[in-house]
Amino acid sequence: MVIKVEGVKPGFFRRVANHCIAIILALLEAIFPSRITVRYPKERRKLPDNFRGMLQFDIKKCISCSQCAFICPANAIKMMPAPNGKYYPSIDYTRCIFCHFCVDTCPRGAWIPTKFMDTAYPTLEEMFLSTSKLLEPPELVLREDKAIAELKADASDMFLVKEKKVEKVA
Amino acid sequence: MVYLIPESLFELFKQEMVSIPIIDPIIKKLLEIPVLNVIVAFIFWKKVFAVLVAPGLLTILLILLIIIWLERKITARVQWRYGPLEISKPIGGVIQPLADGIRYLFQEVIVHKDAHRPYFLQFPLLSFIPVLLPILVIPAGAVYAIQTPYAVPIIVGLITLIPMVIIALGWASNSRYAYLGVLRETFMYFGYEVAFIIAVIAMLIMYGTGDAFRITEAQRGIVGAVLNPLACIVFLVTSAMATSRLPFDIPEADQEVVFGPFVEYTGIVFGIVMTLAYEKLYLLGLLFSILFLGGWNGPYIPPLGDLSGVIWLLIKTVIFMTFLVFLRSVYPRFRVDQALKLGWSQLLCISFIALGLAIVVKVGGLM
Amino acid sequence: MEEVKEISIGVPVEPPTEVKDLYVPIPPEYIEDSYKKDSLIVLVGPQHGGSGHMRIILRLRGDIILEAVPDPGYVHRGVEKLAENRLYIQNIPLVERPSIMDCANFNLGYVRAIERMMDIEVPKRAQYIRMILAELCRIGTHLYDAGILSIFLGHSTGFMWCFGLRELICECLTRVSGARVTASYIIPGGVRRDVDDSVLKYIYECTKTIENKIIGFKRIFVENPVTIARLKDVAVIGRSTAIKVGLVGPFLRASGVEYDVRKVEPYEAYDEVEWDIPVSYDGDSYARLLVRVEEIYQSIKIIRQCVDRLLEMPKGGVISDQILTGIKEKEVVSKDIKGYFYRVFARLVPPAGEVTTLTEAARGLLLYTIVSDGKSNAPYRLRIVSPSWLYLKGFMESLKGCRLADLQAVYGSFGYFPPEADR
C-alpha cells in the first residue's frame, strides 16, 4: 500500500557517470532531433470531431425557447428580435467561454459546432455577432495552411504526422 | 616631399603583405590605382590584418553572429523545437542575431535617475579595450601582429580585466538586484581565477616558453590535451565559470536576480553588454586552441595561402565554443557557495596535480 | 543552518524614503528594525522572473533568509462571491478556472458536493470515466510543476520536455471532451457523454509513451548531479513540523506522513483499483520532487486499470437515473445529454443544508462546502479551500535559514500556484 521513495546522495563514481549520461543523452537528442512543433500558420493541428470551437446557427430548427440564453454561464447569448417578429439568439464572443452548454441544451439541435478557433476581428464591437452573421461560417479572408499535423503516440515515442491536406473546418 | 612619405610607407606595407593566392589577381589590380593602393596595402599589411580582419574585429563580429545562432539552434534541437527560423528560412535563420542587433538600435536607451551617468554609459564601450588588446599578441599561423615570448601571460593578464568592467557596470546601475549580481560576480571571480592561472602555468612549464609559435611547434606530434588532460579539464571548467555558461551563470541568473549587473540596461547598450560574455569566450577559445589543441597545425590548403592557418585556428575555437554553449541544455544552475566550494577545493586540487605532472614531465626530460 | 554572527556598527541608520513610500503590508517598525539590525529587505515582487504572481518580502542577513513574509492576493477574482449569482450548473466552469491544469479534480469536488446533498448515485461507467479524467489532470499538473521547478533552477530543457509531454495530456483531454484545458465534462449524476473505444485506446497508448519519455527526463534532470546538489537537504520539514504547520498532499507525504484522501475516505471507485501511495521520510526538496514523479507512475497504473475495465464493461448509461426524474426517454438521455441539458439541470434545487467534501487534488487536499437554503437555484454560500492556500504557511516556514538562491528552488519544489491559492 505504501511505496517508500528515497533520495540517495550519490557517491563520486555515480556522480561522474550521471554527468556523462546527461551529456550523452543531450548529444543524441541534438544529433537526431524529434521535434513536435506545429508550424502554424502553414500547418494546422488535426482537431477531433467533437472539438469545441465557434458556433454556427441553423435558423430553421430554432423555436425561440431561450433555453440557451438562460443556461450560458457567461451570459454571452442574447435574444434579439428579427424582422419576422420572432426572437433569435446572438453571441457576444468577448464573453463566450466555448463550454458548449448551449449546444447540449438546445432541444432541436440548432447550434452546430465548427472547428474554428482562430478568428480575428479589428474592433471589439465586431465581436458581438448578430444572428444573421451566425448563419454562415466566419468569412475566410486568408487561408494559409497547406498541411495537417496530428500528434501520434506509440509505445516508445510521440511524434507529429504531417499530411498535405486542407481540413474542412466548417 | 609630400609624395615621398606615402611612397616609403607603401614600400613598407608591400614587403609584409598577407598572401592569399585565391584573390591575388584582384589585389594586384588594386595596387595599381594611385590612392587606393596605399589603403589596400595598409589593410593587407600583416600587423593590421591580424587586428582588423582575422583573428581581429571582423572575425569577432562574424563569430558572434554564428555562435549566438548556434546556441539557440542546438538548444532548440535538444528541446524538441526549431529555434529561430522566421527571418531567413532557406538558410536556417542564420541572420537572426543581426536582426536582433538592428532592433536594439531602434530601441530607446533609458538612463534612470539613480544611475551614475558617465560610468553607466561609458563602461560598456570601454569594455572593448581588454577584449581587443589580446588580439595583438595572438598569432594565427603566418598572420600575427607582435611576436613576443610573453604572449600567453599577456593574454591571461588582459582577460582577467574583463570582470572589473562588469563590476563597475553593476555598481553604476545603483539598484538592488544589480548590487546582488555584482556581489555574485565578485565571488565567482575569486572562485575560478587561481585554478585557471595554475592550469595555464602548468602548460607553460611543460612547453618551456610563453611564445605561441614555439608552443604550436612543440605540438606537432601530440596535442596538449593528451599531454596534460588534467589541466585541460580544469581549463574547461574554469572557462565555463569565467564566461557565465551554465551550470555557472550565477551572476546573471534570470530567475533569481533578474539579469544581475545588467538589469538596468536597454537598447543598443544592452546589446553591447550581452555580447561581452561571448567575446570573452572567444578569447578563451583562442587560448585553448593554442595551448591544448595544437594551434594552427593542420593540412595546408593551397588556395588560401596564409589564411589556412587562420581557418584551422578558427575551426578549433568554434568547436570549443560550441561545446561550452551546448552545456546550456544539459545543466541547471549551481548556487554561489557550491560553485565557490568547487573552485577552491576540487578544481584547485586538480590544478595542483596538473602542475606536479607538468614538473615531472619537464624534469624527467620527456619534453 | 549555521549561526551568523551579528555585527553592528553603532551608527544610527535611517531606512531610505523609498521603502517608506512603498505600499507594502508590513509595519514600518519592522522595516526600521531590520535596518538597525543590519539586515536587508528584498521584495521579490509580482513582476519577477521567479516569483509567480505573488510578492514575497524577504529579510536577509548576508545570504541567509531570516524571515519570509508572503503577500498573496494579486490574482484574487472573487470566485466564491461570483458563485452566489450563478446557477448550480453554471458554477462548473467557474470553479474549474482557479487551477486550470487540474480542472477535473476541482470539477469533481464541486459535483460530488451537489450529489451528496441530493443523494445521487453515479453509474459505474461514469465513475471510471471520471477517474480517468482526474488522473490525467493529476499527471498534467505534476508535469507542469516539474517544468516550473526546472526553469526556476535554470534548466530550460527540463521545462520544454515537461510541457511537451503535457501536450499528450491535452490531446487526450481534447479527444474526450473537446477542449484542451478546463474540460467542464463532469456534471451532477455522471459525465456529459460516453467516450468512444478509440479514444480509450489512444489514452492507453499515451500512458506507455509518457512512461517511456519520463525515463529520459529522469536522466537529464532528476538524476543530474547539479539538481541533486541544489535540492538535497534544502528546506527540510520534519514529520511533526509538517503536521503542525498544515502541509497537505504530496508535500505531506514527502515528510513521512502516510495520508491520502483517496485511501482514507475513498470516493468514486478508488477502492476497486490497485495502487499505492509513495511516501518519503527525508522531508527535503528532493524528496518532494521524487514523490511527485512516483505519483505519475501510480496514476498511470490507475488509468490503465480503468481503461481495461471500461473496454470490457457492456456499454450503458453514464448519467444517473435519479437526476433524470421527469424525463421520459431515459435510455437515450443517459448515454448523451445533448438536447436535455436545460430540462435536467437548470432548475436544480438541492434540499436545505450544508455539505462538505474532501477531494485529493494534484497538489493536495481540496475542500468544498456548499450551503443551500432549499428554495433558490443558486447556492447561498460556496466555500473553496484550495491546497496551495493550505500549505502557504509551511512554505514560508521552511524558508527560514535557507540561502537567497534557495528561494526559487523551494518555490518550485512546493509547486505553489498563486491563482489556485487566491481564487
Side-chain angles (χ1 to χ4, degrees), chain A residues 115-132:
Chain A
K115 290 188 191 173
F116 279 101
M117 50 161 180
D118 47 357
T119 53
Y121 299 93
T123 57
L124 275 181
E125 287 81 25
E126 282 184 47
M127 286 180 78
F128 185 99
L129 295 186
S130 58
T131 316
S132 50

Side-chain angles (χ1 to χ4, degrees), chain A residues 31-161:
Chain A
I31 300 176
F32 307 110
S34 54
R35 296 173 165 137
I36 55 168
T37 319
V38 176
R39 306 286 312 280
Y40 188 82
K42 302 223 171 40
E43 296 161 12
R44 246 180 105 88
R45 192 80 174 255
K46 181 166 199 258
L47 301 164
D49 284 327
N50 60 346
F51 185 73
R52 305 212 290 238
M54 294 178 78
L55 294 170
Q56 194 182 339
F57 188 57
D58 187 355
I59 206 164
K60 290 196 272 300
K61 293 193 184 161
C62 179
I63 56 174
S64 306
C65 64
S66 323
Q67 287 182 0
C68 52
F70 198 82
I71 203 77
C72 178
N75 287 333
I77 300 186
K78 303 241 177 331
M79 305 300 282
M80 294 274 156
N84 62 356
K86 287 196 189 174
Y87 280 77
Y88 292 116
S90 61
I91 299 187
D92 184 2
Y93 271 110
T94 57
R95 284 174 166 254
C96 175
I97 60 173
F98 296 95
C99 61
H100 282 209
F101 277 7
C102 46
V103 175
D104 280 343
T105 293
C106 183
R108 297 283 178 268
W111 287 110
I112 307 171
T114 64
K115 290 188 191 173
F116 279 101
M117 50 161 180
D118 47 357
T119 53
Y121 299 93
T123 57
L124 275 181
E125 287 81 25
E126 282 184 47
M127 286 180 78
F128 185 99
L129 295 186
S130 58
T131 316
S132 50
K133 294 208 188 78
L134 288 171
L135 298 175
E136 296 296 325
E139 179 197 325
L140 275 178
V141 175
L142 176 65
R143 181 147 189 181
E144 281 184 287
D145 57 306
K146 297 180 181 53
I148 291 188
E150 185 181 351
L151 190 65
K152 279 207 192 314
D154 69 4
S156 64
D157 203 358
M158 68 174 182
F159 42 90
L160 277 182
V161 170

Side-chain angles (χ1 to χ4, degrees), chain B residues 117-132:
Chain B
R117 200 184 172 107
Y119 289 171
F120 188 80
L121 285 177
Q122 288 168 13
F123 261 103
L125 303 174
L126 291 179
S127 74
F128 276 103
I129 296 182
V131 163
L132 283 181

